Structure formats: structure tokens, C-alpha cells
Amino acid sequence: MITSTSSFRESAPEPRRAPALWPLSPSGIAYGCDYNPDQWDAATWREDVRLMAQAGVNLVSFGMFSWANIEPRRGEYHFEWLDEVFDVLHDAGIAIDLATPTAAPPAWFLREFPEARVVDRTLTPLGPNSRGSACPASPVFREHALRITRALAERYGQHPALAMWHVHNEYGLPVSESFTPEAQQAFRDWTRVRYGSLDAVNTAWGMAFWGQTLGDWEDITGPVPSPSIVNPSLQLDWRRFNSDLLLSNYVAERDALREVTPHIPITTNFHSCPWVDQWRWAQEVDVVATDHYLRASDARGHVDLAQTADLTRSVAQGHPWMLMEHSTSGVNWQPRNIAKNAGEMARNSLSHLGRGADAIMFFQWRASVKGAEKFHSAMLPHGGTDTRIWREVCDLGEQLSRLDDLRGSRVQAQVAVLLDWNSQWAQDLEWRPSIDLTHGEQTARWYDRLWRDHITADFAHPEADLSSYRAVFAPASYLLTDVAAANLRNYVAGGGTLVVGPFSGVVDENDGVRAGGWNAALAEVLGVRVQEYCPLRGEDSARLQYRGGETLVADVWTEDLMVTDAEVLAHYVDGPRPGQPAITRHGFGAGSAWYVASDLSAEDLAPVFTDVYDTADVFSPELPDGVEVIVRAGDAGAFATVINHSDHGHQITVPGTDVLMQIAAGEALVQRL
Amino acid sequence: MITSTSSFRESAPEPRRAPALWPLSPSGIAYGCDYNPDQWDAATWREDVRLMAQAGVNLVSFGMFSWANIEPRRGEYHFEWLDEVFDVLHDAGIAIDLATPTAAPPAWFLREFPEARVVDRTLTPLGPNSRGSACPASPVFREHALRITRALAERYGQHPALAMWHVHNEYGLPVSESFTPEAQQAFRDWTRVRYGSLDAVNTAWGMAFWGQTLGDWEDITGPVPSPSIVNPSLQLDWRRFNSDLLLSNYVAERDALREVTPHIPITTNFHSCPWVDQWRWAQEVDVVATDHYLRASDARGHVDLAQTADLTRSVAQGHPWMLMEHSTSGVNWQPRNIAKNAGEMARNSLSHLGRGADAIMFFQWRASVKGAEKFHSAMLPHGGTDTRIWREVCDLGEQLSRLDDLRGSRVQAQVAVLLDWNSQWAQDLEWRPSIDLTHGEQTARWYDRLWRDHITADFAHPEADLSSYRAVFAPASYLLTDVAAANLRNYVAGGGTLVVGPFSGVVDENDGVRAGGWNAALAEVLGVRVQEYCPLRGEDSARLQYRGGETLVADVWTEDLMVTDAEVLAHYVDGPRPGQPAITRHGFGAGSAWYVASDLSAEDLAPVFTDVYDTADVFSPELPDGVEVIVRAGDAGAFATVINHSDHGHQITVPGTDVLMQIAAGEALVQRL
Amino acid sequence: MITSTSSFRESAPEPRRAPALWPLSPSGIAYGCDYNPDQWDAATWREDVRLMAQAGVNLVSFGMFSWANIEPRRGEYHFEWLDEVFDVLHDAGIAIDLATPTAAPPAWFLREFPEARVVDRTLTPLGPNSRGSACPASPVFREHALRITRALAERYGQHPALAMWHVHNEYGLPVSESFTPEAQQAFRDWTRVRYGSLDAVNTAWGMAFWGQTLGDWEDITGPVPSPSIVNPSLQLDWRRFNSDLLLSNYVAERDALREVTPHIPITTNFHSCPWVDQWRWAQEVDVVATDHYLRASDARGHVDLAQTADLTRSVAQGHPWMLMEHSTSGVNWQPRNIAKNAGEMARNSLSHLGRGADAIMFFQWRASVKGAEKFHSAMLPHGGTDTRIWREVCDLGEQLSRLDDLRGSRVQAQVAVLLDWNSQWAQDLEWRPSIDLTHGEQTARWYDRLWRDHITADFAHPEADLSSYRAVFAPASYLLTDVAAANLRNYVAGGGTLVVGPFSGVVDENDGVRAGGWNAALAEVLGVRVQEYCPLRGEDSARLQYRGGETLVADVWTEDLMVTDAEVLAHYVDGPRPGQPAITRHGFGAGSAWYVASDLSAEDLAPVFTDVYDTADVFSPELPDGVEVIVRAGDAGAFATVINHSDHGHQITVPGTDVLMQIAAGEALVQRL
């Protein structure tokens, strides 16, 4: 059963209770890691805390993989070793973020309850021998998960080292869905709650097409293997349901913990995979935490990092947040795991810090000698303390230890980028006009342009209050609810500057095209109607001429626009619709709405965004390429985090101040203003 | 059980009853579309017929996805809404092609009879939530399909708007096979009928190899997952069986309809997927219909279109046929769905018309707002009537309305291209000499050469009477029956010109190599024996010198030929067999037989085909590149369909006449001669 | 149950009993093929032996696919036809290598015992309709396999034509593993034998990580589908178990045969697929046999052939071995099956011969007309005797018939290349630093460099006695046992020259990283510690400067080295660690140890290896590029096999002699010295 807590409500996030909770300790910036003492003996634990002290570690997160060691056989608890770990850490003054171990149920659980295994999209049951092995809809899993959770709360809830709870681990990864009978029944229940009647479901999903009209609630199933593609509205709701189902798992564990230890803040670690709606989830945690790993194939991974940090701050409603995991160097689970260069770990860490993180944590403390992740870097590498990584880990700890005043300070952003997981889920389904235009890449390119222009951005839900932003960018708003469409209209009418990317405003919340044509939700505010989407063949591109000058290039996407009431800023020079409009601007009410109907690279977006900044009075500071400056301000003053990703030293002026600074090649530092 | 109707007979098609039946109405060229009124309310239906009248629509096809709405629960019929649709259309003078809805069984059917679901090649049951969800061998599906078919026939058989029946939809797509126990039993039954004894099966399939000799009929299964590849002769028969099994489904519905409404012509819509043997199927329909969609990745998709149209006319034995579905612009199910350019829809439509179609229909009338295909273009786009597409739809309707006299006229072809689905199925199995030489691409390249040379071609089964053709092209005759081999020999001996492509005449009807070597079936008529197939590595190519002059290039395939009695026209310059023969010509009886032992591009085929035309007295008209002219003639006169695919206007003389014409860039028109 | 014979022991191979057994006949070099008389009638058999005599065939191997024809229904034996084949061959003086037919159980077996089918990694049961269709852990399969094996031994054990037994066929192909309940139980049993206690398993596999600690033997399963990757140590043991399980199948059949016919030597044919540990298997056969096929995509396939031949001789401890299968021309199971050029078959055959094979056999005698492999070349092609292939087959037979004195002679190698299947299995698991650095390619590149330098190499297990080699190359020793590490250290200390490739000495026998850092096993002997692995992005490369001169290129891999006590021969010029060491040399004891920390092409290895040869006093003869010379010597004298792969004739001096020879382009010959 879906509890009322997780019943569906699609809307902008509520403002969170303020101030957000924060781990009971440490008192300054938290610095630490996942710790897996299960892999080592007690002598090693003592060596570990000695070295943690040397590195400046003041918070460790552990227990996520300890269920089998705590309860090696059903009902047989072994807390002694964990008691000792608590004491060893506490003696060293290191605070504990204790995880519930429910992301890794023990082998005996899966053996005794094989029906609780995850069933994948091919209908294959999964496990054991890995992690993430229980179906989130399994009642027996829920029962055992709450049992072990309560046992931990009761045993350690009053331990002085306990600073916070860490529920489960990376919900949605590696398991974001399951096709057990229980999961499909839960989807049926969820659908009934959301729609009330079967007629409403048939209408919402458009089941008349392809003759799929449902005659009974029992007809509802998840997107099981099918001869052709599964109804897309059903698939979108399946995504929503799974985000909600996982959330109900989180909430159940959280409530169990809160009952026993109402004084301890509770979190779970978000991550970059798109299967949980962080806007909704963030309302249920006491402090927002996230994991971030560089994509090794991306030589500009620090921009993706900045995007994730800004997003995490935004889902936290601007409150400080925790970077729960990142890596000191390469990871192990990508095709090619690129080691970090000297200084890169510190640059990564300070970029998170500058963008609002008050905790910098790594996976993991000591490199594993066996198992799936032994090639993952750690704070303490296989090579021990006579290594570059260890020296950099200690330096960073030292640097953070001098930044107590930074804690709790806030970042101010002039602009917002719209992001809604519902829109991402819908846009990236099959059978869209082109596989080449993805939500993720569109968003990343637009964010990258802002990053290059040294403009700090918030992310915002399209239904959120946007009035504080000088400009709002909507790179990939394929799905807009009626409320969101009205919100954007009101934002512009009230004087805002809205910049909309291609393939936006296409569908309503149920992936339905609105009466009035493709972009009916935005047609009036943009002054443009989309007649057709005109994607390009894989080998083709199309050129645009911007304001009679620069030539810009669309690699995958063009549109056939009919301008009803807008200024045409760029035309297509060639491609499917030569001579027709490609970029437009429309004065609407007190504001203006721009439409960029093609994918453009971060480079090619430059002249367009520059004009947007002029229109919207957005301040784009003069800074060298590759130098990142973010300002946090709070009761204890203002701080500039300055990071030099380039190969050259620079002298800069901190934007908005007259503070002059030297920053060496590759350097990262925090400067009190 | 396999009914006698579908018992196996592999041979050239019988001449069809003449004249072919034709929809009872409309009286001129049919123009229309799939119509899915289930998705809309009654007010929209009235708006629809008003706009249909404006567009010139005179025939609509509907009902293929209506089962769930007609019978939302088992045995509970709701015909009222369909009655109203019939009346609304009839009042507007629009004829109806009523589909049986058996391609989309309702959700309740799959829930009540889960054993009727399709089981795919990985042994996974498929559905629901999509279309094509019943196993064609399921007795309970057959029972329910015939029940709903009879119910429709009884209710609407006498309705004055009913012009024809449309059985099921695109048999073979998305389901061309199923691995249920029932399907495998049906395969066993089919095999028993075809071979009589198990010894005969073992011999036909060569089961002694790899020790697979069958000891009992029960040992026969379909090509289920297996440690290595499955016996290819079995796989070929599995393809034949599935084509026959689907045909038996069609025949059962057809016979049920014919019993109630003997006066109404019956069809089903073929399509480009290769899983039904259209030569056999065409004998069972009253009028041949097909669907055609451009492959978006192919910038020369209009040549593929022409090929499909010529093939459809050919399986229809030259009788007019119906284009049951194409698109006004882009589709939605390809990786990149390219929108059509201005005029392209009319060029596409008229190319079908010129090649024998007397009905031009689209999928679909009004763009769907939800479901799998909402990004598919339609006659009435999401943007409504103030769109380029709508204007072109109306123009085309107007153009067709002036062509009543064209109806029933015939196309005359000088040459034939051999095509046999059995050969395609066999050639494209695994473990051939190279994955790069496919039946489809070889056929397309040779057809493309004829298209560029402005030569209208029929397609012919290799066992068919070829005596009316000046030249016969066999681009990909991997499999030739003994009857076909004798037929080709007799054709040449009787004075014909036969041009054979690489990897031809390799196997008999059971995928067995004949005694005498690789090309024993053709060795005597070609005067050439193939010693070895010598495909090329992916990165390699080989050059041929043709008649001491032009250099031609083989990209994937060469052969080691031993010339016994032929003139060598080209040698390999390099590649695996430098200096050895590559293209030969052999005078045989009163005719000549050519062998082209390599894959050549359409460009490189030019000098070879030019020589063939000279030999065979094939008329290759002088026309500009990209201008397509096809002549139809009938009782009401002769008509040239002229289509200009190029970017320039041209003045042309209609081949075989002295009619001079102007044709603008992109224009398509029909000219009475 | 796992018999004691196959209980696990990971160590260097024992010296084999000497002299190795050899087929009872023929008396000279064996020349022949797989023979599949089941596919033909008795008249063809008589034609076959007539042509075999013409070709010089003196040994044929048959029966591997005959089970269904010998026992078409359970318990119903039909030996008559096989009796006749025996007699026909014997009358022609052709010796018989009789295969047990257990690689192809009959259709009735799989029908009657569906539980004996293989279950693949997706948990799908496989078969019938192919080969390799029984689970090697199935008791009922074992029972029936031994029954048919004994029946054959009893019937033909005393037949005068019987020269040897050929057990099964290519163990591990196409089935190297199975996931039936019986197979998983066997894995449990095997694990219990290997580790004794569950604690030992948990430790060996590092199950504390990801919380996978096993609480009961029943918790052990094979690497079934799982939400994330399966524990790598478990996967490595799964590979070992499967090699052992297959070996126990072999041993069971062998022992059954030996009981009945103790006088007949027994073999099974190895092959290039990596799933059996040939070092272990070779101890259980009387004579080592292997199959080798060129990879068609590799234009330098003759180097891979030489590598396989040297490896086969090495696992045979230097004894002569049998080439059980290769091809006269192209095969059928690769994407593009390249036909051999004139002379290539003889060059291939003589390369095997020169490298120690005393039997040259083909798959197969007469090309199949039906079934999966009819496109595979054969000694007698589809085109019959008037073909290039047939003529070359006869020429080769004639050439071999003059080489009786060669039989039993031995090859001497100056250097060894280390190879351990355990290391290959472990290195090629998922989640290593880069997918681009594979065991196979590293080994092939280093071997290729030796081949280009005309240096004959043995392969050696890392625990073997290496003292006879001037230099030992370890291109890919990711996994080294403690014994192996000590062995290498002792080899160098004792004066040997050891050359170690990148990513070596990383893990112990259980895929565990040793205390002391990444390359702890080799750090002292190399004088180098590895701090980090620094693989490259797909599009990147890194340059090395060697001894201040030549620039070498790493395509996929660099390392971050800390030199503790070694001479640096090359630095990185760019890439992740510019300026840092890339190639080192360390004097250690009486010898020296080299470390090459990057992947280098065979071309770029040249200057490094040249210096190694100088250091180690390895003789690198002056010979033209593409000319292969290998010397065998025995009681009857010494012989040089000389093969010219180039397009030019050459005059050469046989290395180590003053024998001058002419060798024409493409020629292959054996010269008595």
C-alpha cells in the first residue's frame, strides 16, 4: 500500500521549514567519508582514526553495507563490533552519520525471501551477489528494513557520537524499478489514488489509441515487455510511481528513526541519476545531501559538478547541503576511469563548498582490497600515506578547518534555470522526433554557457516563484503543467525575461499535446507557433544567421516556426527550412520572452545570451576563462571561493567588490571579503 | 491447426482472377486516411467530416484499434458510437473501409487469456500496453477474433457507406513470430504437412550435421535460444511457417466476412517488413493494398518508394492497388524523424499513383494528442488548418479529384527484377560468408540503377513467366528452386537477357548447396563456375576494370570464378583475386546471361547496365537526373506522371511520345497524353 | 559431485609423463581431418577414401556429431553404419581418431531430460536445434555420456584402425558455463572443497564489502543476473570452477575409455577460447591437441597462429602436439569470412608443423551441403576436385609425406612469455580502470614484437621453472600468486631478465590487492611503486620519450610511478603525468627487471625489446620482414621450417647455421639442416 505520505501531488516544492536542520556535529565544515570498517580488523580501526585525525576528518558515514555483519542470520544480532567502532570514533572526536543498511539486504534475506528480489524489465529476478537487491514494493522487505532500522535507532540513538542518520543509500541506484507482482499491484494502487476512476486513467493516458482502453483496474501493469512501445503516458506515470514508491520506503525508515530519536537529523544521499524527483524528496529530508562523480569521458567535468552543486542547493531551497560522496581521484565503474590531476580534488571540493555545501565527504576512507570497488580511489589509497593523494587529502582537511565562519552562509543567484524531473522523464521516452535532442544535454549546454559567463544560477521548478530572478532559462521544458505555463506567462508579464529552448511546452502533465498545436502552452507568450519539428539526419547540420551577423550551427534540431507577434533575431541559412525564423524575441507585458528553436553549442549560445543579459540587466563579470568565482554570505561575513581551472595564473577582481586577488594555475581558495 | 488454405506450396503465383475487385466506392481515385474516431468526441467527428470534404477525402479506413471500445468487457458490445460514426461519414458521402480490430485485442482479453500473449525469441511473454499482442497460433485468439469479425460483418455488412473490408493491420508487424507452445505445435503440424515423414524432414534440414537428427515429431521446435546457431533450413521453414500461419489468420477472417458479405471486397495492408510472402498473400486478397514510409535516414527515399510501388503493382499482377498508408510529413518511430519538405508529400503520392495506385491514403486523419504516435504527422496536424501541411493536403485532394479517367489504367514495364521472399529469408540468416552482402541492399542498388536510367521495372517471382520482358535482373537470387533455375534457363535459351548478381543460385529450396558446386543452378547458363566466395574485410575494397576502361569498386564482395564458356567483361585489378574474372557474359541459346560477381554501387552499375540495355533492346529514355516519368494507359487514354525531384525546372519530352512538357523544381503532375 | 581428480589446485603444471603418448598410427606426420560420414551415403564413403588416398590423408577424426545416428532413440543402438565406415577407412589404410559424441546429445535426450539443458546467464534454457546442448553439471547427462562412451569403447576398442580417442569436442565452446540448479550446487561443492569454511570464502571473496557476507553454504550462487556487478572474486572462482567442471567431464569420459582400452591414447581438442585452463587440462591428456582458426578481421592472422602454436607446444611441455582442426580457406562463423589466398593454407600448416605439431588436420573433409557450416571451407570443396583448394590439399599431403623424420623433434626457445588463464579471467572482468587494456591484446602485441624479431618463444606459467630462459616477458600478469611472485623474484635474482607490462602484479589469487599498494608483488624486484593507474580517454594518447630519443605512443594506459630504485629509461612527454617515469630498468641480484608501464604497439616496443635482447644476450637473427624460420631438432636431425609471408622472394641464411636458402614469395618449406 502507498501511504498517504507518498500520495501523488505534482506541484512546485513547498518552502522548507527554516532553518534546516544540520548534523549535531562537527561544529565547522564537515570533512569526511564513507567508512566501511566491516572490511578491516580492530587494529586497523585504531590506525584509521589516527590517520583520520591527521587528515582532519571530523565526520564519517557508515553502516550502509553492514546488515549482514550486524545480523548474519535472521534475528541473530551482532552489535559488539559496531559498538567498538562507535567508541573508537567517538574517542577520536569523530562524529558519526549512521546509515540504515537497507540498500544491501543480507544473503540470508534473499535466500529466505526470494520473492523479495528485484525483477527487471526483462522479467528476470536479480541477485544475490551484488547490492540493491530488494524490491521496494516488497512487504517482507519493508518489514525487515524497518526492523533493522529500529534496532539501530534503539541501540545507537543516544550515543554521543551520533550526529545524524543516513537512510539507505542512493535511492534509485542501482534499482529504480521492479516488476514483481507486488510492484505492479502498488502501481495499480498508486494509479487509483491519483486518478480515482478508470475512465480518468483511460483519458489521462489516451488509451483509446492503439485500442488499449482499460476495462478493469487489474488491466493496469507496469511497462512490461511488449510487442511495440508501451503507452508513453503510462511510462511517465510509472516513473512518477517509482519515485514515489522509493520515497515511501525512505519515509517509512525516516519515521521509524524519528520516533526513536526525534532529536537527530535525517537525510539520504541523492545522486545524479534521474530516477527520483528531488524537488519532492527534498521536502522530506532534514538536510539535503548528494553524491557527485565526474564523468570521466568529459574533460570539462567541473562544469557538470558546478551544475549538480547548484541544483542541490536549489532543491535545498538555498539552505546549506552536504556533499555526501565524491572521489579523491578516479572511480571504477566507468569504461575508462580517469585519475584526477594534482589539485583537482581540491578544486572539485571547493566548487561544491562555494556553491553551498557545508560538508565535503568522500567515498571512501580506505581503499578496499577486494570486491567490486577496489579500483575506486579513496582518502587513504592502496599505497598508503606516502602518496600524492594522501598529502592532498591532508592539505584539504587543513584548509577546511580554517573555514568555520563559512558554515551556514548562502549563495545569491541572479538567474534561474528551469528543471523538472517529470519533463526529463517524458522527453527522454522513445518515439520522439529525434533521439539526438535529450533533456540532459540541452540543460547542460545552457548551464555551461552561464558558467562560462561567470553567472551563478539557481535551478527552479517551473511552478516555483520566479520573481526574484532577473532572467529565467528554460532549456528543456518539454512538459509543462497548466500551472507552470501560467506561472511562466505571469513571470514575463510581470517584467521577467524568459528564454525558452527548442521542443518546449509540447505536452501537458500527462504527455498530451494541447489543443492549439505543438507549443500551445507558450505560443502566446513567445509570439511564435511551432508548425513542425524538423530534426536533422545524423550526418547533417543547419546554419543560423544571428542578427545578420554571426553564423551559429544546429547539429540535431530545427523547427518550422510561424511568427505571430515576435521579433526574428535569427533565420536558418540552410537545413530543412532555409530562410525561416530560428530565434525570436517577444515583448510581452512588462517583460520579454525569447525562443531558441534549435540546439546550439555552449559556444554558439554566447551572442544570444549576451543579448539576454543586456535585456534583463544580468551582471556578467569580467573574469578570465576557466576561473570560477562564487560568493557566499552569512552572519559571519562574505566569502569568495575562487578556483582556477586554467593552466595560467591570473590576477582578478572579485565581482561585485574591489578585492584584487592572485590565483595560481590550478589553485582553489576561499577568500574572506 | 493449419487449414488447407494455408498448406504449403512454394511456387510462382497463380494469375489472379481478372478483373480484380475494387472498393465499391468512391468512383474516382480514392483519397483518404486511417481514421481513429475512438480518440475524439462526436462534435469532433462532425468537424472532421467537414474538413474531410474540404480536403477532398472520399474514403476512410477505421476500426483497427476499436475492439476495446466496441467490446469493453467480454461479450458486452457497444456499437452505438460506431453506428454514429458510420452515419456521420455516410452523410458526408465518405466511403468506409472497415477494419477488423484483431491487431489490437482488448486489455481484458490478454488478462483473461494470458496464454494467448505472444512469446518472443527470448521466451518472454509480451504485453499488454501496446499493440499486436496476441499469438497468431492461439486457438482462443482465433475464436475471439472471428467472433468480433462476424459481429462487425453482421452489423455493418449492409450499410451503404461500407465500401470494403480491411482485415487486421499490417500482418507481421510488430509480431512476425511467437514461441508459445501452440505456435510450436503449429510448426510441427505444418512441417508434417509439408514433408510427410520425419526422414524427409531430417533430409530436408540436413539434421545429420551437428548430430541433430530428429527421432520423433515432438523433437521439432521453433528456433528457440540455443548454445550456437540454429539449423538454417529449420529457420527458413520457420519463416515460411510464420508467413503461412499469419496468412491462415487472414484467410479465416476473410472467409468469415465473405460468408456474411460476399459482395464486399476484402484486403489487408502489406508493408515493407519482409515477414510475409506477398506473392502468396496477394492471391488471397481481392485488392492489393500496401503501406509505405520513407526511411528518414535515406535522403533518396523516393527511390525506395518507387521500388515498393513497383513491387506492389507486381504482386497485384499489374492490377491497380491501394496505397493504404503513407505520411504527410515525418513519422515518429524512427531514430530521427525527418519532416517532409514543401511539395514532397505530393511527389510521393503521385509516384505511387503513377506506378499503379488508384488510392492514396494516409496514416492518419487527425494527429493524436496522446499515445505512441502523437509525433506522427497527419492530414490534419496539431496546428490545425493554418498550416503548410493542411494546405498541401487540400491541394493534393483537388489534384486527384481531376484524375477519374486514370483509374484502372495499367503500367507497362520492359524489364523485370526477380524477388522471392524465401530467398531473402535464407540469404539473411547468420553464418553466411559476409554480413555485408544483404538481399535488401543488393536489390535496392540494382533497382536504383534502373530508376536512374528512367526504366520502369516490374518485379517477378523467379518461377513466373518472364517471356514478356526484354531483360530480367536477378540482383539477389541466393535461393533458387529447381523450377526457378529451369525457368531462368528457358528464359535465356528462348532469347531473354538475364543479369545475375553475386551470391546467386547458391542453394535449393531447403537452403542446401547443390551437387556441382556453389552456383550449380546457374553455372551452365552463365558459363561460369564459382570456386569460392571471397568477401572483403570491413576496411577493404577491390577494384574491377570493365572492358579495359572504367574502374568499378566492390565494397564488400568478390568471387573466385572459373569461366567455362563466357566472355569476360571485367577483371579484378586488386582485392583477393587480382586478375581473375569479375563480370561475364554468356551467349546461351537465343539469349545471353550476364554475371556480376561483386556488389557494385548504383553509380558503378551504369556501364554494365548500359551494355545490357543495348543487348536486350531496352529503351532507356533521355531525361534529366531526378526526373521521374511513368506512363499508365487504359480505356480512357494514356497518362504520364511526371515528378521532378531536382532543384531545377526542366523541359522534357515524355518518353515514347513527342509530348513536350515543362516541369518546375519539385513539381509533380499527371499529364494526359 | 566434483571428483577428486578435478579438485582445485592452482599452481604451475607438473612435468608431464615423458615421452608423451602418440596416436598408434600413422607412422609419419599425420594428415587429415574431421570426417562426418553421417551426412553422406555409403557410395560417397567409398569415393571419399579414394580421394583421401589421393590427398595423402592418413588419419581422420569422426563421431563427434554421431550420437543421434548411433542411438536414434534411447537405448536403440545402430552401429552397423559406423562398422562400415570403420571398415571402409581401414581398408584404405586410414587411421581413426574416434570421438565420443557427447558434445551433441540427441534431440530425444533433450526432450526426455529438459532439465539437462544448459541455462545461460540470463537464466534462459538453451536448445535444441544446435550443438553443445547439455549442462556439464547434469547428472543425467553424465550418466548418458558415459553410457555411450563405454558402448563405443566396447565396440571399437579393438578395431585395428582405431589409433586414438577424441573425447567430446572443444570443451568450453559454445558452452562454457551453465546456471542450472545442478551447476550452482556443483559450484557450492567446489567452493567448499577449495575453502573448507564459509569464513574462508567470505575472506577470500571480500564479501564484507557491499554487505554480501554469506551466512550459509546455500547462499552461494553463480554470477546470476544482479542489480549491479557481481563480486569479482566470486566471478573469478566461477571461471575456475567451470574449467574444473568441464575437466571433470573430460576425465570421467577418459577414465571410462581407459578402463576398456588402456592401450589407446586419449585427447580432446583445445581451442582459442579462453575458458579452459590449458595448463591444468594438458596434464590430463595423453597428447595435446588444439584447433586454430584465423581471425578474418586480422590481416596479420599468421602471427596469432604462431602464438597459438607456441602456446600449444608449451602446454604440451615441449612434446609434439596435434593441430586437430584448421581450415583450408575461409570459415563461416565470423562476420566476414575471408578466403585464404593461394599458398596460405600451406604456410599456415607449416607454421604449426615448424612450431611442434606432428599432425595437420582440418575441419572438415567434404564440405557440408546443409546445416550451420556449409559455408565453411573443406579439403574437398563444393566444387569438387577441379578446384584450387583441392590441388593445394594434395600438394600439402605430398609435402608432409616426405617429412617422416621430423616427427618427434623438438623446438628450442630462448625466451618465455608468461601466460596464466586465471590472470586473463581476472583482468578482463568488469570495473577495471579501463576497458581498453585487455589481457589478450597486451599479450598479442608483445608476442608480435618477438615474432617480428624472429625470436621463437615458449609460453610459461608464472610459477614454472624459468631458469632455462634468457629473458622472460610478462605482458599481462595482472594476477600473480604469492608463489609466482616469489618465482619471478628468484628468476631475476638468479640472473634472469624479466620484462613486465603495465597493470601487472596487481592482485593475488583471489583478486585481492596486496598490502603495500598496487604492485606490491613486484615493487621490490622492479624498484618501482605504482601510485595510480592513469588510463586515457578514448580519444587521447600519451607520448613517451625513450632514452632521450625515440617517441613512443601509449594509446590507452599510463601509470603514476614512484621510482624507489630503478633507472628511468622513458618519461611521459604529455598525457596525465607528463615528466614522470614510464619505462624503467632495475638491476636486482644477478639479473634485471624492466617495467613498461604503458601499452605500446608492436612497432613501438622495438627499441625497448632490442635493449632487452642486448641485456639478456638473446639472439635476434637478421631475416627479412615477414619471413618466419623455426628450427626443430630430434634424433633424426635438425629441420628448418621456412615460411615467406611477404610478396618478394628472398635469399636467407638459416639462423644459427650457415645454410643459405632461396625462398619464393608466399612459399613454405621444410629444409633439413
Side-chain angles (χ1 to χ4, degrees), chain A residues 309-320:
Chain A
D310 285 346
L311 176 59
T312 305
R313 180 187 69 251
S314 301
V315 301
Q317 304 291 332
H319 294 288

Side-chain angles (χ1 to χ4, degrees), chain B residues 200-422:
Chain B
V201 179
N202 279 320
T203 300
W205 292 355
M207 294 300 256
F209 188 70
W210 277 7
Q212 303 172 247
T213 304
L214 307 162
D216 190 291
W217 287 106
E218 289 302 304
D219 290 337
I220 294 180
T221 72
V224 292
S226 198
S228 185
I229 76 154
V230 168
N231 179 288
S233 302
L234 182 159
Q235 292 195 66
L236 173 58
D237 270 349
W238 175 255
R239 278 290 160 221
R240 287 176 175 136
F241 156 71
N242 277 289
S243 176
D244 285 358
L245 175 64
L246 292 170
L247 182 56
S248 78
N249 276 254
Y250 164 78
V251 166
E253 292 195 24
R254 180 200 65 187
D255 290 351
L257 294 170
R258 193 169 279 167
E259 197 182 310
V260 182
T261 61
H263 63 297
I264 304 284
I266 306 173
T267 192
T268 186
N269 48 336
F270 299 159
H271 51 89
S272 297
C273 291
W275 306 127
V276 307
D277 178 348
Q278 294 184 24
W279 293 119
R280 282 173 56 68
W281 281 61
Q283 300 172 52
E284 307 290 352
V285 299
D286 292 323
V287 52
V288 166
T290 204
D291 299 345
H292 183 266
Y293 293 97
L294 299 177
R295 272 194 311 265
S297 59
D298 177 7
R300 288 175 57 75
H302 52 277
V303 180
D304 175 70
L305 182 159
Q307 178 179 334
T308 299
D310 285 346
L311 175 60
T312 305
R313 180 187 67 249
S314 301
V315 300
Q317 302 292 330
H319 294 288
W321 51 279
M322 302 182 70
L323 177 67
M324 191 62 85
E325 296 181 16
H326 72 151
S327 68
T328 59
S329 188
V331 299
N332 59 302
W333 40 268
Q334 302 192 21
R336 297 161 190 87
N337 297 288
I338 305 304
K340 292 188 179 179
N341 291 324
E344 190 171 358
M345 177 189 71
R347 293 195 296 278
N348 293 166
S349 297
L350 264 57
S351 184
H352 286 294
L353 187 82
R355 292 173 190 280
D358 277 359
I360 303 297
M361 317 268 289
F362 293 95
F363 175 88
Q364 61 179 339
W365 166 248
R366 181 185 279 271
S368 294
V369 298
K370 286 184 180 161
E373 307 224 49
K374 64 180 163 289
F375 288 105
H376 197 295
S377 60
M379 296 181 87
L380 184 60
H382 289 291
T385 54
D386 186 12
T387 55
R388 176 189 61 78
I389 287 178
W390 177 255
R391 287 183 288 274
E392 294 197 11
V393 160
C394 293
D395 290 347
L396 178 61
E398 203 276 329
Q399 190 171 13
L400 295 177
S401 72
R402 288 182 274 105
L403 294 173
D404 285 6
D405 286 352
L406 192 66
R407 180 168 146 179
S409 61
R410 309 283 291 247
V411 174
Q412 210 64 36
Q414 306 176 76
V415 305
V417 177
L418 297 187
L419 188 143
D420 177 3
W421 277 270
N422 289 273

Side-chain angles (χ1 to χ4, degrees), chain A residues 209 515, chain B residues 33-37 39-41 43-52 362-369 373-374 376-382 384-385 390:
Chain A
F209 188 70
Chain B
C33 50
D34 275 16
Y35 183 43
N36 288 296
Q39 301 174 65
W40 314 97
D41 60 15
T44 307
W45 303 340
R46 288 182 165 72
E47 169 78 356
D48 284 337
V49 296
R50 188 184 66 76
L51 290 171
M52 285 178 187
F362 293 95
F363 175 88
Q364 61 179 339
W365 166 248
R366 181 185 279 271
S368 294
V369 298
E373 307 224 49
K374 64 180 163 289
H376 197 295
S377 60
M379 296 181 87
L380 184 60
H382 289 291
T385 54
W390 177 255

Side-chain angles (χ1 to χ4, degrees), chain B residues 122-123 203-216 218-234 430-436 478 503 506-508 510-518 529-539 560 562 575-577, chain C residues 36 38-39 65-69 72-73 104-108 111 118 120 124-133 174-175 295-299 329-342 363-364 368-377 381-384 386-389 391:
Chain B
T122 70
L123 306 184
T203 300
W205 292 355
M207 294 300 256
F209 188 70
W210 277 7
Q212 303 172 247
T213 304
L214 307 162
D216 190 291
E218 289 302 304
D219 290 337
I220 294 180
T221 72
V224 292
S226 198
S228 185
I229 76 154
V230 168
N231 179 288
S233 302
L234 182 159
E430 318 96 313
W431 285 19
R432 274 60 183 111
S434 171
I435 57 169
D436 293 328
Y478 166 74
F503 202 44
V506 183
V507 296
D508 64 20
N510 288 317
D511 200 45
V513 179
R514 285 186 177 81
W518 286 121
R529 283 178 49 210
V530 175
Q531 295 214 81
E532 279 198 281
Y533 298 115
C534 302
L536 303 174
R537 292 194 175 88
E539 67 278 18
D560 187 336
M562 181 187 297
R577 297 293 180 261
Chain C
N36 288 298
D38 328 38
Q39 302 175 65
F65 300 134
S66 298
W67 193 344
N69 287 335
R73 272 156 297 275
W108 63 257
R111 174 168 39 81
V118 174
D120 75 7
T124 306
L126 302 183
N129 301 326
S130 185
R131 65 181 181 122
S133 303
V175 171
R295 273 194 310 265
S297 58
D298 177 7
S329 188
V331 300
N332 59 301
W333 40 267
Q334 302 192 20
R336 296 161 191 87
N337 297 288
I338 305 302
K340 293 189 178 178
N341 291 324
F363 175 87
Q364 61 180 340
S368 295
V369 298
K370 286 183 179 161
E373 307 223 48
K374 64 180 164 290
F375 288 105
H376 198 294
S377 60
H382 289 292
D386 186 13
T387 54
R388 176 188 61 77
I389 286 178
R391 287 184 288 273

Side-chain angles (χ1 to χ4, degrees), chain C residues 183-204:
Chain C
Q184 303 205 46
Q185 183 58 48
F187 181 48
R188 244 165 250 136
D189 295 341
W190 179 95
T191 304
R192 192 192 286 257
V193 169
R194 177 168 163 91
Y195 293 105
S197 77
L198 211 49
D199 279 354
V201 179
N202 280 320
T203 301

